[in-house]
Amino acid sequence: MAELPNITGLDNAALLPADSHILAKLYASPAGASLNEELCQRFGARFGGSEQERLAADFLKDKLLEYGLDSAWTEPFAAPYWCRKTTTLSVKSPEIREVSCIALPNCPPGSVEAPLVFLGDGDPQSYADNAEKIKGAIVMVSTANPAFFHRGMHRGEKLGRALQGGAAGFIWMRGEGGGLPETGSARFGRLCEVPVISVSLECGMELMRLARGGHQVILNITSDNEMTQVNSYNVIGEIKGTELPEEIIVVGGHYDGHDISQGAVDNGSGIAVTWEAARALAHLKGQQKRTIRFVAFAQEEMGLLGSDAYVKAHHRENIVFMLNLDVAGGGFFGRFSLQGWSENLAWLKQLFSEMGESHIRLGDAISIYSDMYPFASAGIPAGSYASSNPSGGGGAPRGYGHTHWDTIDKINPRAIQMDAILVARFLHRLSTLTKLPFRKKAALEITAKLQERGYEEVMRFEQRPLPHEVWG
């Protein structure tokens, strides 16, 4: 069988000592799982703008210094802090009763009373078919991805379509049983225009049963949440490159969770993987040509606020690649996605093959909902790695994510170890290559990629700017 041409440019034999060190450092170590547990037990959700977030930032910075990185620091940025208070959902007709609910983050204070309109999984056709009913109504949709639509639909798009249709309120109904409402921010970094809440599948079905026989269901949503301005903190540490220190590889994920849970998988596990990779690579200082910068982003759950602040503060630096680890360490099925750099897929495929990791699913699938997006939007080459276990169904694509039960008992320490080994080996290779294949792109190129994949319409519904509207 003919040998494949070496398109990566790596001397894999020379990398064996570094691989052996990384393996020895991480494979049998409980440190990653212990870090995640301490993060969750000591600091709870680390919700954006909270005191828990500030204390967790100092904790994570101190860990990087303890590991022996060249430097570590926190960077504050101004951000909103949404404070959950009291929210109620009341049935006014055809009978009177209270229904359990939670407010979605960025739900404004206020009250609305209106008829209920249920749009199932919220595919675009259901909005078109019910356009007249949506006006002035409280729209309820399921968290499930539409069964007969060509792509997934995020909460933000389903909400945006309802608001554009004139909805007076919005209910996010979990698509899987178990009595769990599913949280998630309503708008990016600002209060929503109307009250927005979440209910469990069981509570949503209870509302639908009231509509049997042609009854009109009238609901009242009342909430008194508050929003203030605070400082949030990105946590940064770096290993300085020896030959090309001005070329920076950024790796990281968000350390904030939602206020209703510990955020152990989303994204305590991703931070544990990042910090374990930093711990292993700190012992290889002097071997990396490029600078590797490890970042824990704040306020991802409230609209990518930390990564957006970071990119705006650092985009003039020579960031040659960004790897986002949102729900890395979540299981044993790895997925690596480039963010519009499809021309580099063959190179990465061979790189993972040379690493003995050819089982990882690899593709070019732009996502606008995690911390790699602000980098890609600015034309910085970016990718995302996550791992998971097989899901039992499509009704709750996040599993326990964004619910009360994203807790430390869902963590598999071995998954954190294996992903940390993978990430550390990958970063070490990027840092030692003479030349990387990725090129920076103009913001208009990224906008064109989004348009090709149907995301321009989505971002208009969500009232988010396209890349060229931010970066020119």
Side-chain angles (χ1 to χ4, degrees), residues 131-449:
E132 289 304 314
K133 294 179 181 178
I134 289 170
K135 293 175 183 176
I138 294 172
V139 170
M140 182 167 73
V141 298
S142 163
T143 65
N145 280 320
F148 299 104
F149 192 52
H150 65 276
R151 60 170 172 81
M153 291 180 66
H154 188 267
R155 172 187 65 255
E157 180 184 356
K158 293 183 183 183
L159 168 64
R161 287 179 180 273
L163 293 178
Q164 188 177 81
F170 184 80
I171 301 177
W172 187 230
M173 182 189 83
R174 185 161 164 89
E176 188 170 78
L180 293 171
E182 185 173 306
T183 191
S185 59
R187 286 295 204 186
F188 273 44
R190 63 179 176 85
L191 287 176
C192 189
E193 298 89 324
V194 303
V196 282
I197 64 171
S198 176
V199 298
S200 67
L201 173 70
E202 291 80 0
C203 287
M205 290 296 99
E206 180 183 354
L207 293 176
M208 294 310 300
R209 284 193 295 273
L210 292 174
R212 286 177 181 170
H215 295 295
Q216 186 178 57
V217 178
I218 305 296
L219 302 177
N220 178 279
I221 302 172
T222 299
S223 194
D224 60 355
N225 310 296
E226 293 179 347
M227 182 174 276
T228 57
Q229 289 292 308
V230 296
N231 274 339
S232 280
Y233 300 86
N234 290 328
V235 186
I236 305 161
E238 69 177 23
I239 300 170
K240 206 76 172 174
T242 55
E243 297 179 25
L244 301 165
E246 74 286 351
E247 293 190 12
I248 300 166
I249 300 163
V250 173
V251 57
H254 69 93
Y255 71 101
D256 63 310
H258 274 290
D259 62 331
I260 65 169
S261 78
Q262 292 179 330
V265 177
D266 183 12
N267 187 40
S269 65
I271 288 299
V273 168
T274 308
W275 258 229
E276 279 293 272
R279 186 170 70 89
L281 292 174
H283 289 267
L284 297 173
K285 280 195 302 186
Q287 297 184 31
Q288 294 99 354
K289 295 176 183 177
R290 293 176 182 81
T291 295
I292 305 177
R293 192 171 286 173
F294 304 86
V295 187
F297 298 106
Q299 294 254 27
E300 188 266 359
E301 298 291 12
M302 300 303 284
L304 318 184
L305 305 185
S307 51
D308 184 67
Y310 182 90
V311 172
K312 286 175 178 171
H314 294 272
H315 72 278
R316 296 188 185 280
E317 296 175 336
N318 189 14
I319 302 172
V320 294
F321 192 76
M322 188 275 172
L323 176 63
N324 185 44
L325 300 174
D326 196 351
V327 196
F332 298 100
F333 292 80
R335 177 185 174 92
F336 191 107
S337 299
L338 285 171
Q339 301 298 305
W341 275 259
S342 56
E343 64 272 19
N344 297 124
L345 280 173
W347 187 89
L348 277 170
K349 184 175 182 179
Q350 181 157 328
L351 176 65
F352 282 123
S353 178
E354 291 173 4
M355 290 173 63
E357 304 282 3
S358 54
H359 61 283
I360 291 171
R361 293 166 294 170
L362 180 64
D364 181 38
I366 296 176
S367 170
I368 60 176
Y369 299 110
S370 195
D371 286 318
M372 63 283 187
Y373 176 71
F375 290 84
S377 174
I380 297 167
S384 176
Y385 176 77
S387 61
S388 62
N389 291 318
S391 172
R398 296 181 182 276
Y400 286 104
H402 286 213
T403 74
H404 294 287
W405 299 129
D406 181 3
T407 46
I408 199 70
D409 51 278
K410 310 302 186 302
I411 294 297
N412 186 325
R414 178 62 75 202
I416 290 176
Q417 291 167 337
M418 298 308 291
D419 278 357
I421 290 167
L422 169 73
V423 169
R425 294 176 67 215
F426 176 75
L427 293 173
H428 188 68
R429 281 159 170 76
L430 292 193
S431 72
T432 55
L433 270 168
T434 301
K435 184 177 176 60
L436 292 177
F438 312 106
R439 71 171 179 88
K440 293 190 176 179
K441 297 187 176 184
L444 270 172
E445 288 183 79
I446 306 303
T447 293
K449 289 279 187 182

